[in-house]
């Protein structure tokens, strides 16, 4: 078996973070670590490191653990009842997210996966989506070898993290992107190494999630190519697709 490599997550919502922890249980080549603002309850059977610190101190932690991939949230809209106040909560201030990404880059992290939102556009009239679009542009300037921007719709939970039916169906409001699909897509993308900037809309997120069970590992890892829109497709490497 090939050696494991570190994938760190910080500033992601609890619903996404817990799904990622469950997914990591089935990806032996990935050593998932978490940067949190407080203690979290770990799922049974999980083995991972959790670093607890205020966000402004994450730079020290990042330099010490030096992950290959960092996952950060841009505060995606939660289509769930209640407010996410857990230590794994999304950091809502896009400027803070950019600063965290800078910290990761300066610590030597080569690949960044950022969870944004459907419709993010710096020129959007909606202030929320405009802020996310501007943050995406800032992330692109940080010089990561590979940058994946994921743009899900409002997040909904259709199944429990362990794959069973969700008990609190009353928490759902309307339609949106399944949290499980987002987590599976992130796991797939964390294994890809093709340099460039890739933006994943709803269809791209679903395709990446569907490929998780056959995602390559270790030295056999071949990164995804991209179609004409710059979206990661999971096909063979194509030099023309390295930049968006």
């Amino acid at each position: 078996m090939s050696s494991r490599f570190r994938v760190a997550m910080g500033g992601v919502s609890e619903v996404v973070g817990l799904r990622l922890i469950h997914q990591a249980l089935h990806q032996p080549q990935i050593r998932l670590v978490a940067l949190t603002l407080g203690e979290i309850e770990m799922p049974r059977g999980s083995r991972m490191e959790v670093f607890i610190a205020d966000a402004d101190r994450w730079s020290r932690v990042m330099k010490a653990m030096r992950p290959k991939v960092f996952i950060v949230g841009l505060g995606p809209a939660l289509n769930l009842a209640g407010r996410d106040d857990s230590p794994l909560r999304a950091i809502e201030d896009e400027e803070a997210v950019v600063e965290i990404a800078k910290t990761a880059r300066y610590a030597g992290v080569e690949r960044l996966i950022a969870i944004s939102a459907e419709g993010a556009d710096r020129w959007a009239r909606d202030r929320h989506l405009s802020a996310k679009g501007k943050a995406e542009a800032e992330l692109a300037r940080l010089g990561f070898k590979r940058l994946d921007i994921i743009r899900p719709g409002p997040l909904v939970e259709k199944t429990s993290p362990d794959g069973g039916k969700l008990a609190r169906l009353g928490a759902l409001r309307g339609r949106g992107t399944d949290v499980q699909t987002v987590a599976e897509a992130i796991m797939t993308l964390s294994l890809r190494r093709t340099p460039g900037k890739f933006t994943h809309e709803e269809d791209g997120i679903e395709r990446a999630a569907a490929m998780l069970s056959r995602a390559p590992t270790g030295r056999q890892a071949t990164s995804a190519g991209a179609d004409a829109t710059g979206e990661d497709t999971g096909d063979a490497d194509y030099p023309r697709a390295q930049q968006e």
Side-chain angles (χ1 to χ4, degrees):
M1 180 181 295
S2 59
S3 59
R4 304 169 75 190
F5 67 96
R6 280 185 169 182
V7 174
M9 64 175 179
V12 299
S13 67
E14 180 182 23
V15 289
V16 175
L18 291 180
R19 299 302 174 114
L20 289 173
I21 293 172
H22 276 277
Q23 288 300 316
L25 293 174
H26 308 291
Q27 300 297 323
Q29 70 277 26
I30 291 178
R31 182 181 179 184
L32 184 66
V33 297
L35 278 70
T36 71
L37 302 174
E39 294 184 6
I40 60 174
E41 183 176 351
M42 301 296 295
R44 181 177 298 180
S46 60
R47 295 181 179 181
M48 62 178 292
E49 295 173 282
V50 178
F51 296 87
I52 302 172
D54 292 336
D56 59 358
R57 301 194 177 196
W58 284 4
S59 58
R60 298 180 183 179
V61 179
M62 202 90 65
K63 290 178 181 178
M65 65 183 183
R66 297 183 66 85
K68 291 291 185 182
V69 183
F70 188 68
I71 304 164
V72 67
L74 288 175
L78 294 178
N79 202 20
L80 299 169
R83 180 178 175 81
D84 186 0
D85 287 327
S86 80
L88 273 172
R89 66 178 180 268
I91 296 177
E92 298 177 355
D93 186 348
E94 277 72 22
E95 292 183 3
V97 169
V98 172
E99 289 302 314
I100 292 171
K102 286 181 180 179
T103 298
R105 185 68 193 97
Y106 295 155
V109 177
E110 298 179 347
R111 290 176 274 162
L112 182 75
I113 300 175
I115 310 169
S116 185
E118 182 181 43
D121 184 348
R122 64 183 307 172
W123 306 114
R125 293 183 178 181
D126 182 279
R127 184 172 60 181
H128 180 69
L129 296 178
S130 176
K132 292 185 184 301
K134 291 176 181 177
E136 289 182 8
E138 290 297 320
L139 294 179
R141 296 191 184 102
L142 297 182
F144 285 97
K145 186 174 181 180
R146 178 181 175 107
L147 171 63
D148 287 283
I149 301 290
I150 298 178
R151 292 178 178 171
L155 301 179
V156 298
E157 290 184 294
K158 298 180 181 179
T159 58
S160 63
D162 59 5
K165 292 184 178 180
L166 188 66
R168 57 189 185 113
L169 292 177
L172 301 180
R173 296 202 305 268
R175 301 178 60 183
T177 305
D178 186 9
V179 178
Q180 182 71 15
T181 300
V182 173
E184 291 174 354
I186 290 173
M187 277 290 139
T188 299
L189 296 173
S190 69
L191 297 171
R192 295 183 175 173
R193 300 180 181 179
T194 300
K197 175 179 179 292
F198 303 91
T199 300
H200 310 269
E201 305 286 352
E202 188 78 22
D203 290 346
I205 293 172
E206 292 178 357
R207 284 200 297 272
M211 294 185 67
L212 180 60
S213 61
R214 54 193 176 92
T217 61
R219 294 183 179 179
Q220 296 178 339
T222 56
S223 304
D227 59 20
T229 65
E231 183 177 79
D232 210 338
T233 63
D235 298 324
D237 288 344
Y238 292 98
R240 62 178 175 79
Q242 291 184 357
Q243 296 295 333
E244 190 174 53

